Amino acid sequence: MSAVVGFSEIVLPLAAGLAVVVSSARCENTGPAAWRGGPARLLAGLVTGSFVLVCVLWATVSGRSGTEWIQMQVLWLAPTVFWVGVALVVAHRGARSRRNRVRSRRSRVTRGIVRFGLLFAGGVGLSWFSALAPVQMLLLAPRELTWPVPVMVPVAEWVELVLPATTTFHGRMAGWGGNRALLLVLGALACWLVCRSGAGPVARRGAAGPRSWTLTGRLAVSSAAVLAVSGTAVSLLWPGDPADWRLGWSEGRLEVPVDTGDPAAGTIEISYLVHPATDTTRPEGVVVAAVGGPAAASQSRSALLDALDGVAGTHDIVVSDYRGFGRSTPLQCPGVDIGAAEPAPVAACEAELGPLAGALSARHAADDLETVRRAMGVDRWSVYGQSYGAFFAQAYARAHPGAVDSVVLDSALPLVAGPDYTYMASQVSGDGLPPAWHEEVERARNGAGDGPDVTDLAAIHLFSTWSEIAAGRDAALALPAPQRGPALAALGDDLDAQLAAMRADPLAALAPSQVTAPYACNDYAMPFAGSATAHERDSATRRHARERLTPNIAPLRWSEIDDALRAANGLSTHSFRYEACLYWSHVPDPAPSGLPSVPMLVISGSRDFTTPPAMADDIAARWGAEVLHVAGADHFVLGDDSASCPRTVAAEFLRDPAAHRPGPVCPPVG
């Protein structure tokens, strides 16, 4: 079904445009002005073909209303009219070219086809261009970016609608009615201008006075105009959900309360995207895909869809931007993010957010998702979460177990996590590292040898949560002693270059200061009491670091880790990842005792140093879940293109957890 629809959506406007260009180029005289009844028959055929095709598609989906039939007519008619207008402009320019008149018929046809083909390919390429990751960052979250002028926000949203407008196959967002209206206006304007110039395709050759129209031409143009006007009016005044047509991404936005327990706190807008099942008009179910970070899921929708390709054919996929991110009402806290923070920016952030300051958490976001479920009319659905998304998925399953069929956690953080996780160095460990590592640290500390200094070694150890850095470190330590130092130095230089490139990213100027740190302060357990003063919090944090986390960095010292953090990220205190939480007045809500019984699969990569396999085992023990350990995989297992086995296992579990049986261990990936 989806393949037929996608093919037809491209072929119909392409065929219409080529028919116009070829008919014009085959004329012996001046192009379109020399046509006889061909254009009228062409228009009649286009309108009839589009009408019949839409009727067939409309009939395949049960429960469609007459209003939706009208909307679907304009949905398909608009790009065809647009490309017919473009073809007429191409034909008219060719007909007026003196050089073109002396060319052979074959040459005119070839040149017309090439010109129109290039334009059509450019339009299709423009549609796909809007799906590229950098463009998604700029256009799929226009409300979130720091635009110099506020009026640029609605302009960016309109650009987002127009980019994929040239054909209908690309995913559409809310507002597709305006998108199609724009296409119809542009196409009709092009047709009118060409006809007005005296080269109209429906002009009857040799007619005296004003050019007359054939009866067939009048009927065709009148039918197209009626469909266009009525369809556009209905789409703009009574917009339907584009997801009903199951032809691409669609967006919905909902007003949700800031805090369900405090009606006076106001509301905030939540955005969610729906990707209909690609292989059926009657999906077997719905899967929610939660992204890590927290971050904007709308910007990662392609990666999430790839991770769930095993169920994307039979299930609708929903991604929802957490409150404060992406297409949801954006929130910013300048100076309050992962890294160094001062009391003044934190206080300003809390004052700016107001009631939202304590309502940026997985628990509140879970309530938002439940509102989305009710708005979509879904009885139960499954949830897939990656990294922080796995933390969120557990929060949703705990709060709304009756709405969950199954849960798959990929590279998961425990829902009931101790304060260790709030440290940058908490996930890395010196356990298991060979004696060569201890030797290199001592050599660097004493200033001996040709390897990196101790600060660079501390940075390598700290950023070994990046799988490529961990792999480079392990490879260097496996070398003979004389070669280890230069290899580690080269690795340190490479890490410095990556960090410098991240800091110098030209898009960083547009990137907002997101509310990641407030989420962490409201979600994660801290090593201090909420009533503690800033000084008491600082002291408790340092004490916790000394007592609990020293084995993770041995043989390095905390002072050396601090130096590395300041050099790399600008952090200024004792390896505390979310330093802003030292000054944040809110504390996480107490976790409810006990967990509900929910079918759950936990997937973990052996080389995941951010949420290591031990975390997956702990989560599975708490929930009574199944664990799938994948050798060679790092963070975001299903995001690896070579992880076909884990993807298959996850798809089987999401389809029917009751029928799922643990199979053989998946082979290593990578």
Side-chain angles (χ1 to χ4, degrees), residues 111 123 226 248 267 273 336 355 366 371 418 450 480 489 533 538 542 570 586 602 643:
R111 290 178 66 85
V226 169
T267 61
L273 305 178
V336 182
T371 302
D450 53 359
T533 64
D538 186 82
R542 292 181 181 276
H586 300 272
V602 186

Side-chain angles (χ1 to χ4, degrees), residues 235-302:
S235 301
L236 293 176
L237 298 177
W238 300 281
D241 186 355
D244 289 341
W245 304 118
R246 320 198 62 74
L247 302 179
W249 285 102
S250 63
E251 183 192 23
R253 290 181 181 177
L254 296 172
E255 292 288 335
V256 300
V258 168
D259 190 339
T260 54
D262 183 9
T267 61
I268 192 172
E269 195 173 53
I270 297 300
S271 170
Y272 63 95
L273 305 178
V274 183
H275 187 278
T278 56
D279 297 339
T280 178
T281 59
R282 296 175 178 83
E284 298 176 9
V286 182
V287 177
V288 178
V291 74
S298 57
Q299 296 180 30
S300 303
R301 57 183 189 168
S302 297

Side-chain angles (χ1 to χ4, degrees), residues 317-339:
I317 308 297
V318 175
V319 299
S320 180
D321 281 340
Y322 305 116
R323 51 173 53 196
F325 287 92
R327 305 179 66 85
S328 297
T329 301
L331 304 171
Q332 298 181 18
C333 279
V336 182
D337 211 329
I338 297 178

Side-chain angles (χ1 to χ4, degrees), residues 558-641:
W558 280 109
S559 60
E560 294 163 346
I561 288 289
D562 284 340
D563 291 341
L565 286 167
R566 281 195 295 272
N569 275 350
L571 293 175
S572 59
T573 61
H574 47 70
S575 311
F576 196 42
R577 184 196 303 202
Y578 299 106
E579 187 182 342
C581 300
L582 292 173
Y583 319 112
W584 193 253
S585 63
H586 300 272
V587 295
D589 295 330
S593 59
L595 294 172
S597 178
V598 175
M600 183 177 292
L601 170 66
V602 186
I603 303 176
S604 176
S606 65
R607 298 195 63 80
D608 183 355
F609 299 100
T610 302
T611 52
M615 281 189 178
D617 295 333
D618 177 64
I619 294 170
R622 292 177 182 271
W623 286 90
E626 177 188 342
V627 184
L628 175 64
H629 290 291
V630 183
D634 53 22
H635 204 59
F636 193 4
V637 177
L638 299 194
D640 191 329
D641 291 337

Side-chain angles (χ1 to χ4, degrees), residues 283-626:
E284 298 176 9
V286 182
V287 177
V288 178
V291 74
S298 57
Q299 296 180 30
S300 303
R301 57 183 189 168
S302 297
L304 292 171
L305 193 61
D306 289 342
L308 295 173
D309 60 359
V311 293
T314 55
H315 289 62
D316 292 346
I317 308 297
V318 175
V319 299
S320 180
D321 281 340
Y322 305 116
R323 51 173 53 196
F325 287 92
R327 305 179 66 85
S328 297
T329 301
L331 304 171
Q332 298 181 18
C333 279
V336 182
D337 211 329
I338 297 178
E342 299 294 335
V346 174
C349 172
E350 291 198 71
E352 178 70 22
L353 292 176
L356 269 167
L360 295 173
S361 68
R363 180 180 69 81
H364 292 87
D367 291 338
D368 296 340
L369 183 61
E370 180 64 6
T371 302
V372 171
R373 183 189 68 82
R374 293 195 297 267
M376 291 181 60
V378 177
D379 293 331
R380 294 168 64 90
W381 54 16
S382 297
V383 184
Y384 164 77
Q386 179 266 328
S387 193
Y388 178 85
F391 181 91
F392 166 78
Q394 294 172 78
Y396 180 80
R398 183 175 64 183
H400 307 283
V404 175
D405 279 327
S406 60
V407 177
V408 172
L409 307 179
D410 182 348
S411 309
L413 165 68
L415 181 62
V416 185
D420 290 2
Y421 189 77
T422 58
Y423 288 80
M424 182 69 79
S426 64
Q427 300 97 317
V428 299
S429 174
D431 294 344
L433 290 178
W437 174 252
H438 295 254
E439 295 173 8
E440 291 300 321
V441 170
E442 287 301 323
R443 286 160 59 88
R445 189 174 288 146
N446 297 328
D450 53 359
D453 60 28
V454 71
T455 301
D456 286 338
L457 285 179
I460 290 172
H461 186 65
L462 183 64
F463 286 93
S464 63
T465 53
W466 297 0
S467 58
E468 66 272 20
I469 299 300
R473 178 198 60 189
D474 294 346
L477 295 178
L479 295 172
Q483 302 176 25
R484 287 199 301 258
L488 287 171
L491 180 63
D493 292 341
D494 181 62
L495 175 59
D496 289 341
Q498 292 186 55
L499 293 172
M502 292 170 62
R503 290 191 293 265
D505 188 345
L507 294 178
L510 282 177
S513 180
Q514 297 177 325
V515 288
T516 304
Y519 263 88
C521 299
N522 292 330
D523 275 333
Y524 304 149
M526 299 293 163
F528 46 76
S531 58
T533 64
H535 176 73
E536 291 170 340
R537 292 184 178 198
D538 186 82
S539 298
T541 301
R542 292 181 181 276
R543 183 170 58 252
H544 182 87
R546 290 194 304 269
E547 296 174 355
R548 295 287 303 278
L549 303 180
T550 299
N552 288 43
I553 61 169
L556 294 164
R557 301 165 183 162
W558 280 109
S559 60
E560 294 163 346
I561 288 289
D562 284 340
D563 291 341
L565 286 167
R566 281 195 295 272
N569 275 350
L571 293 175
S572 59
T573 61
H574 47 70
S575 311
F576 196 42
R577 184 196 303 202
Y578 299 106
E579 187 182 342
C581 300
L582 292 173
Y583 319 112
W584 193 253
S585 63
H586 300 272
V587 295
D589 295 330
S593 59
L595 294 172
S597 178
V598 175
M600 183 177 292
L601 170 66
V602 186
I603 303 176
S604 176
S606 65
R607 298 195 63 80
D608 183 355
F609 299 100
T610 302
T611 52
M615 281 189 178
D617 295 333
D618 177 64
I619 294 170
R622 292 177 182 271
W623 286 90
E626 177 188 342

